[in-house]
């Protein structure tokens, strides 16, 4: 066997982005959110992102996958907080190195749900309709505060035509 001359080989090793799992602050049902995965890259490598989403039963309205920022407006009408989990795959912009996947978890608070109801009262008697009970018994039992304005009815007086608040409608209506 014959020996050849030595040859230098230069190998450049590009780093991969390192993401950190995060639990975000809770978001209310039907409120939009946006999270930039770049803020979760611990070694600060500028990266692009693709993501997939996982939603438990009762959480609706979200995309199954996407790229770039994690954005959404999710609906939760259950009686508890539900977590949307986004699995993010980072790819460095220099060298196109793929980092390990990481997660961004977004808790979605439930919205109160009441049910249509009918109530009959006599003229000149307080309505005393319990809005809290409507949500607690007929709806999804999510603690709530209330504000309302009554529809103007030409044959009824005493309804609240300005903004009101509280858990019980106490208007004295008359016909």
């Amino acid at each position: 066997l014959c020996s050849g001359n030595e040859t230098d080989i230069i190998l450049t090793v590009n780093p991969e982005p390192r993401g950190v799992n995060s639990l975000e602050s809770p978001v209310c049902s039907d409120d939009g959110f946006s999270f930039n995965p770049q803020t979760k890259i611990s070694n600060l490598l500028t990266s692009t992102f693709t993501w997939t989403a996982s939603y438990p039963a009762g959480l609706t309205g979200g995309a199954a996958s996407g790229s770039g920022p994690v954005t959404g407006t999710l609906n939760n009408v259950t009686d508890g907080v539900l977590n949307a989990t986004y699995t993010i795959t980072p790819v460095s912009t220099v060298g196109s190195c793929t980092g390990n996947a990481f997660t961004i978890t977004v808790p979605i608070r439930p919205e109160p749900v009441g049910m249509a109801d009918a109530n009959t009262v006599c003229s000149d008697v307080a309505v005393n309709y319990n809005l809290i009970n409507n949500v607690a018994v007929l709806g999804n039992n999510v603690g709530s505060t209330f504000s309302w304005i009554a529809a103007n009815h030409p044959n009824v007086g005493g309804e609240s035509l300005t903004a009101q608040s509280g858990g019980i409608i106490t208007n004295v209506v008359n016909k």
Side-chain angles (χ1 to χ4, degrees), residues 116-122 125-131 134 168-169 173:
D117 197 10
N119 194 16
T120 302
V121 297
C122 293
V125 175
V127 173
N128 287 328
Y129 187 81
N130 191 325
L131 297 166
N134 181 287
I168 299 177
I169 298 175
V173 293

Side-chain angles (χ1 to χ4, degrees), residues 17-21 37 40-43 90 99-103:
R18 288 191 304 264
V20 177
N21 295 338
K40 310 305 179 197
I41 300 299
S42 64
N43 59 350
N100 292 331
F102 63 97
T103 61

Side-chain angles (χ1 to χ4, degrees), residues 26-27 56 59 76 78-84 106-110 142:
V27 175
L59 198 55
N76 177 2
T78 70
D79 62 357
V81 175
L82 297 175
N83 289 331
V106 183
I108 307 297
R109 290 185 177 129
V142 171

Side-chain angles (χ1 to χ4, degrees), residues 134-150:
N134 181 287
V135 172
V137 175
L138 302 176
N140 64 349
N141 198 28
V142 171
S144 307
T145 59
F146 301 89
S147 61
W148 71 90
I149 298 174

